[in-house]
């Protein structure tokens, strides 16, 4: 069964304290792995798509990496405005574009 | 501005009443999706449509119905048979085809059953 597990469920950081969020997946033929950011009461905002193991993408303080079993979202020197829930999703081979989502990691960055 | 518009933002209904959530997109996307989000849960797929006049059930379709008469619109109706409808509902759209298609989301509708 295709599955996505994110850890930790919640993460509290001090401003400037770098860390990583984990997304482990089990999927039959990965077509793509997606990271989204979701602010409270809003829809998810697309961040990155990763397609193959070894791939990396960066955007400001965020860097996403991918291996054959997991993806990491590295946050370097976070700021309070980075506080949000980060969602990971995968698209399996043979799917009609449907995504399987993890439950998310809620990140809080304190000044 | 191109995007996905969901309305209303908040919706209250009494038990036993049907309710319709609106989703409109002007991104010229072929595919549209409805998800439900509950606290502590991942997004769960209710229905999806790859093309006009065609749609398929997702993982939790029971008690819901949809229509796709226009490319731009994909309304979701929750029927009186739907259990525990209180949740945050998200609509998304994407290009379709055999490639990897990024889904873009609307701002959501929060439905509360009184």
């Amino acid at each position: 069964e295709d599955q996505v597990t994110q850890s930790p469920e919640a993460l509290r950081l001090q401003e400037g304290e770098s860390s990583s969020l984990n997304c482990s997946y089990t999927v039959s033929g990965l077509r793509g792995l997606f990271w989204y950011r979701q602010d409270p009461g809003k829809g998810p905002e697309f961040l990155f798509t990763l397609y193959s193991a070894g791939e990396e993408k960066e955007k400001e303080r965020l860097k996403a990496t991918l291996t054959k079993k997991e993806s990491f979202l590295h946050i370097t020197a976070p700021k309070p405005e980075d506080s949000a829930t980060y969602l990971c999703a995968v698209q399996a081979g043979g799917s009609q574009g449907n995504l399987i989502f993890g439950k998310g990691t809620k990140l809080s960055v304190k000044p | 501005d191109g995007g996905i518009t969901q309305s209303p933002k908040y919706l209250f209904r009494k038990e036993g009443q049907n309710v319709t959530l609106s989703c409109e997109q002007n991104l010229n996307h072929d595919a549209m999706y409805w998800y439900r989000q509950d606290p502590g849960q991942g997004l769960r797929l209710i229905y999806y449509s790859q093309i006009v006049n065609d749609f398929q059930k997702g993982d939790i379709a029971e008690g819901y119905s949809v229509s796709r008469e226009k490319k731009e619109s994909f309304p979701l109706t929750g029927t009186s048979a739907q259990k525990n409808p209180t949740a945050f509902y998200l609509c998304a759209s994407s290009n379709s085809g055999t490639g990897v298609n990024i889904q873009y989301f609307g701002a959501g509708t929060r439905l509360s059953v009184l």
Side-chain angles (χ1 to χ4, degrees), chain B residues 2-109:
Chain B
I4 301 168
T5 302
Q6 291 187 241
S7 62
K9 186 172 177 65
Y10 299 97
L11 185 58
F12 299 91
R13 83 166 210 210
K14 294 181 180 179
E15 279 198 46
Q17 285 183 333
N18 291 356
V19 62
T20 298
L21 281 59
S22 171
C23 179
E24 303 278 334
Q25 56 98 359
N26 60 4
L27 299 170
N28 200 33
H29 286 162
D30 288 315
M32 297 187 74
Y33 310 81
W34 273 106
Y35 292 91
R36 170 181 172 140
Q37 188 175 37
D38 295 280
Q41 298 284 331
L43 273 66
R44 292 183 290 168
L45 184 65
I46 305 173
Y47 267 98
Y48 63 101
S49 168
Q50 296 290 320
I51 196 169
V52 174
N53 291 323
D54 187 41
F55 48 83
Q56 286 79 39
K57 293 181 179 179
D59 300 320
I60 55 165
E62 184 178 353
Y64 298 99
S65 65
V66 293
S67 63
R68 186 86 187 276
E69 297 176 359
K70 297 188 300 181
K71 185 176 184 178
E72 302 80 16
S73 179
F74 192 39
L76 174 74
T77 296
T79 70
S80 57
Q82 205 265 313
K83 298 179 181 179
N84 302 319
T86 296
F88 190 50
Y89 290 85
L90 289 161
C91 177
S93 71
S94 73
N95 290 314
S96 63
T98 56
V100 176
N101 299 304
I102 300 167
Q103 291 187 20
Y104 296 93
F105 285 82
T109 293

Side-chain angles (χ1 to χ4, degrees), chain A residues 88-108:
Chain A
C88 174
V90 298
Q91 181 180 342
S95 71
Q96 292 182 292
N98 296 347
L99 300 181
I100 302 164
F101 281 84
K103 295 181 179 181
T105 294
K106 184 175 182 180
L107 174 66
S108 299

Side-chain angles (χ1 to χ4, degrees), chain A:
Chain A
E1 181 185 350
D2 298 335
Q3 193 171 341
V4 176
T5 303
Q6 292 188 246
S7 61
E9 290 185 11
L11 180 62
R12 293 185 178 185
L13 300 174
Q14 288 296 127
E15 185 173 1
E17 179 186 3
S18 301
S19 188
S20 298
L21 313 182
N22 177 262
C23 172
S24 297
Y25 63 89
T26 303
V27 65
S28 50
L30 179 72
R31 294 184 106 178
L33 184 141
F34 303 80
W35 282 99
Y36 288 86
R37 170 192 169 126
Q38 186 176 25
D39 292 301
K42 297 188 178 181
E45 174 190 348
F46 171 74
L47 294 173
F48 303 107
T49 307
L50 301 168
Y51 298 94
S52 58
E55 188 175 4
E56 299 182 351
K57 288 192 177 174
E58 289 188 65
K59 180 180 180 180
E60 296 181 354
R61 294 176 294 281
L62 301 176
K63 178 180 177 181
T65 62
L66 181 65
T67 72
K68 289 186 177 180
K69 294 184 178 180
E70 57 191 352
S71 176
F72 292 94
L73 185 64
H74 307 278
I75 303 176
T76 302
K79 298 182 178 182
E81 53 263 41
D82 295 321
S83 297
T85 296
Y86 290 86
L87 303 175
C88 174
V90 298
Q91 181 180 342
S95 71
Q96 292 182 292
N98 296 347
L99 300 181
I100 302 164
F101 281 84
K103 295 181 179 181
T105 294
K106 184 175 182 180
L107 174 66
S108 299
V109 182
K110 302 300 181 184

